[in-house]
């Protein structure tokens, strides 16, 4: 067990320990990771870091102490509202990440449902099986049940099955744009119509692709409507710390109607310090995250995000072509936006053995269980490393096939 050192050490000594420790991790700058770090280039990273550092010590809980931070958050939320075609009645909150945005959506939906129908006994949320677990996490904390409904063959929400799963206690539906598991868009137009008909809150989880899909659409890729342009969409979450390329700690939760915000808020006054009211789950919050998001969004602008979107889509197409050219491997369709999954179609080639071969060659590998596949979220940083990745993949495939290797299913790729 390590105890706090009795006397402090010098920064230079500490810094070398940290640099040394880091060298054991996977190199995201070298494109070794298919998830966790969203990296474009050093220039954008510098903007993000310097902006973060300017607000390194500021605390976004202190709204009266740091009016400039309130303004930065309002600007970021406004930019997001316009990006997702929100009506003038809409409102939003800057949050620390997708999990917090999803939590706040679930809390607001729950509190509204309880206010509207005090007789609810055990309220539930109906979601496709591919929905992100942050919804279950929120439901767990908020005392709600989640009903997961099987998806169609193309990994999309099955609208008929979801409609059947809805009962008198259903307070919310969730759809992904796109989902993390297979990277496809749920049929949000039809789910929005269903939600309107049944008068149920529909939340759109655009955490992953929210800051990519609108720009891919402008670049001519076929992106279905998923935002507030569909009247049945009550709320939407989108992470700026993913394809928005800001420092981690940045997401937004947007509500179609600012009136709904009271259901999201927590207010308390029964202590000796007066009113404590927040719209977020967190109390103290890093000011740097909002400054980074604001700076990166202003630095890139629509043009910058469009350039990045094109680069990501080009990189994905090149990687897909390279994988499909390898014997025994195929990219799973549909493959929309930034996510690519590939599997083996050869009975003598085990995809888990291929995955282990890639790990052995220094690549962090994301795994899908249903279906068994390798799971890759494309980033701009992957463009220059494609050749090296495909070279190693060819070798991993050869080894697995020639030596008849059988790998283990790995359920713990996080
Ligand atoms: C990442 C992600 C989340 C959760 O976001 P965190 O920032 O990890 O908390 C939710 N939904 C989807 C689709 C995601 O990709």
């Amino acid at each position: 067990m390590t105890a706090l050192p009795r006397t402090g050490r010098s920064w230079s000594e500490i810094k070398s320990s940290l640099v040394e420790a880091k060298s054991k991790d996977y190199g995201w700058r070298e494109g070794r990771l298919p998830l966790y770090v969203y990296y474009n280039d050093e220039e954008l990273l510098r903007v993000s870091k310097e902006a973060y550092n300017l607000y390194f010590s500021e605390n976004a809980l202190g709204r009266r102490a740091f009016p400039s931070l309130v303004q930065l958050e309002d600007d970021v939320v406004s930019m997001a509202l316009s990006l997702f075609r929100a009506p003038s009645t809409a409102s939003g909150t800057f949050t620390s990440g997708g999990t917090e945005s999803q939590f706040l959506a679930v809390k607001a939906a729950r509190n509204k449902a309880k206010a509207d129908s005090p007789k609810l006994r055990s309220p539930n949320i109906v979601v496709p099986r591919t929905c992100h677990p942050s919804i279950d996490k929120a439901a767990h904390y908020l005392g709600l049940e989640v009903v997961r409904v099987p998806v169609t063959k193309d990994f999309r929400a099955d609208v008929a099955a979801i409609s059947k799963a809805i009962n008198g206690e259903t307070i919310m539906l969730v759809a992904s744009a796109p989902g993390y598991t297979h990277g496809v868009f749920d049929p949000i137009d039809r789910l929005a119509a269903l939600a309107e008909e049944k008068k149920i809150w529909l939340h759109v989880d655009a955490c992953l692709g929210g800051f990519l899909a609108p720009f891919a659409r402008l670049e001519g890729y076929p992106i279905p409507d998923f935002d507030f342009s569909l009247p049945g969409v009550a709320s939407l979450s989108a992470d700026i710390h993913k394809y928005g390329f800001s420092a981690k700690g940045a997401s937004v939760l947007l509500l179609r109607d600012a009136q709904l915000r009271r259901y999201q808020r927590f207010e308390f006054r029964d202590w000796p310090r007066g009113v404590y009211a927040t719209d977020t789950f967190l109390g103290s919050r890093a000011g740097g995250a909002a400054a980074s998001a604001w700076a990166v969004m202003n630095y890139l602008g629509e043009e910058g995000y469009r350039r990045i979107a094109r680069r990501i889509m080009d990189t994905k197409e090149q990687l897909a072509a390279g994988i499909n050219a390898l014997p025994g491997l195929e990219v799973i369709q549909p493959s929309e936006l930034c996510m690519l999954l590939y599997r083996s179609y050869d009975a003598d080639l085990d995809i888990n053995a291929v995955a282990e071969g890639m790990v052995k060659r220094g690549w962090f590998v994301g795994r899908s269980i249903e279906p068994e596949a390798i799971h890759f979220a494309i980033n701009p940083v992957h463009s220059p490393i494609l050749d090296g990745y495909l070279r190693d993949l060819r070798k991993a495939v050869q080894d697995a096939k020639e030596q008849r290797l059988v790998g283990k299913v790995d359920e713990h790729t996080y």
Side-chain angles (χ1 to χ4, degrees), residues 183-201:
V184 301
F185 287 81
D186 285 325
I188 296 177
D189 52 349
R190 289 163 56 213
L191 288 166
L194 178 67
E196 265 197 301
E197 178 204 321
K198 306 252 184 192
K199 297 192 172 31
I200 298 173
W201 184 304

Side-chain angles (χ1 to χ4, degrees), residues 97-100 102 132 134 176 178-180 205 207-208 239 241-242:
T99 301
E100 188 182 9
Q102 305 268 87
H132 192 274
S134 48
S176 308
Y180 188 73
D205 174 2
C207 282
L208 177 67
D239 290 354
H241 66 200
K242 286 181 180 156

